[in-house]
Amino acid sequence: TALAWLRKARTTPWALYLNLQATHFPYSLAEGSERPYLPDEPDWSTFTYLRYARADRDAVINRYDNALAHVDRQLGRVRKFLEDSGQLDNTLVILTADHGELFFDRDMVTHGRTLYDIESRVPLVLRWPGHFPAERRDEPASHLDIMPTVLDALGLPPHPSWQGQSALVPTPADVGKKAIFMNIQGLRFADGAVCWPYKLMIDRTARQPHLYHLANDPEEQVDLVEREPAIAEKLTRTLSNQ
């Protein structure tokens, strides 16, 4: 287990990658795990990754929330061990996720078919007292920024091939100058770019572009691709040059 590994590694520098999968379909928990949100049993004859009955939506959300609560408890155990062993403030902690989840949002379930924010926007928390300031940053960021940030905090240069930017670099006055790229390949194929406040998504499967103004339309309901052709074209070039 992670805690057993930490006990062995507590006297030397170490790195631990902890991948908690409970919140991935079908949101399974070990026998005996706490389940504060009930009911959480869907109709298993129709509960699949691609679709399930809309009538099961509340039960599935409860199931997901139980899995999320389980993940939170495990993270709490790791944090408590670090705190009790005096290592917490000398440990760089990075917390993030790989995607969001749909529960009949846009009439879809699970994930892997869109680049809308409800799927592509995830938490990113970094904690290392004395190295990272205690602040909340409201600006676009990417997983590509994580490794440049870590090396910057360690006083090391980034690899020349890395595309991300250290979060320790002061926020530019115009955050829209920084492009954030995204991609899905699997059930559908799509590419996207955010140059705040605009977001372009190109659905390669349907061969259809979409453009949204995230500041004015965070739910991505108003497609501006025909109203703002110049911006769509500029972002298309930005995406093509990446």
Side-chain angles (χ1 to χ4, degrees):
T1 66
L3 293 185
W5 188 91
L6 286 174
R7 291 187 184 98
K8 294 179 181 179
R10 62 188 298 176
T11 58
T12 57
W14 50 266
L16 172 66
Y17 171 67
L18 186 59
N19 187 343
L20 298 170
Q21 290 282 321
T23 51
H24 282 74
F25 184 90
Y27 324 121
S28 299
L29 296 178
E31 185 175 351
S33 295
E34 296 179 37
R35 295 164 59 183
Y37 305 103
L38 296 173
D40 68 347
E41 293 285 348
D43 181 348
W44 289 96
S45 67
T46 57
F47 184 50
T48 70
Y49 180 82
L50 294 177
R51 63 183 61 85
Y52 50 82
R54 187 177 288 271
D56 278 336
R57 178 178 181 271
D58 289 347
V60 175
I61 290 176
N62 283 342
R63 188 173 185 85
Y64 181 85
D65 287 347
N66 283 334
L68 189 60
H70 172 77
V71 168
D72 188 61
R73 287 192 297 272
Q74 307 320 304
L75 292 175
R77 293 175 63 201
V78 173
R79 186 190 187 284
K80 186 177 187 305
F81 176 86
L82 292 173
E83 187 173 36
D84 291 347
S85 61
Q87 300 179 82
L88 181 60
D89 287 347
N90 194 34
T91 298
L92 166 58
V93 177
I94 303 172
L95 175 64
T96 190
D98 54 346
H99 56 77
E101 198 78 342
L102 301 171
F103 300 97
F104 288 98
D105 308 271
R106 298 185 180 272
D107 204 33
M108 289 180 284
V109 298
T110 63
H111 62 271
R113 277 164 282 187
T114 84
L115 290 174
Y116 289 108
D117 269 15
I118 195 168
E119 279 198 70
S120 62
R121 190 169 185 175
V122 297
L124 178 57
V125 179
L126 299 98
R127 183 187 187 276
W128 195 10
H131 299 268
F132 295 148
E135 61 179 353
R136 178 171 180 169
R137 300 273 288 270
D138 186 16
E139 63 191 75
S142 166
H143 284 146
L144 294 176
D145 299 329
I146 293 176
M147 285 307 297
T149 302
V150 171
L151 265 67
D152 193 7
L154 293 172
L156 300 173
H159 191 279
S161 68
W162 288 353
Q163 301 173 41
Q165 176 180 298
S166 170
L168 296 177
V169 174
T171 305
D174 180 6
V175 296
K177 292 180 179 179
K178 177 182 178 181
I180 303 296
F181 299 98
M182 57 194 73
N183 168 272
I184 54 171
Q185 300 179 33
L187 294 173
R188 295 185 72 86
F189 295 83
D191 298 297
V194 175
C195 288
W196 188 262
Y198 287 99
K199 176 179 178 180
L200 175 76
M201 299 186 298
I202 300 180
D203 186 333
R204 306 292 185 184
T205 303
R207 300 183 180 180
Q208 178 66 46
H210 304 278
L211 179 69
Y212 298 96
H213 191 292
L214 296 179
N216 296 338
D217 180 27
E219 300 297 325
E220 298 168 288
Q221 298 295 318
V222 181
D223 193 342
L224 301 174
V225 72
E226 294 186 1
R227 294 191 222 171
E228 302 281 3
I231 293 175
E233 175 59 27
K234 185 175 182 179
L235 285 177
T236 299
R237 290 198 304 270
T238 299
L239 188 56
S240 299
N241 292 336
Q242 180 57 25

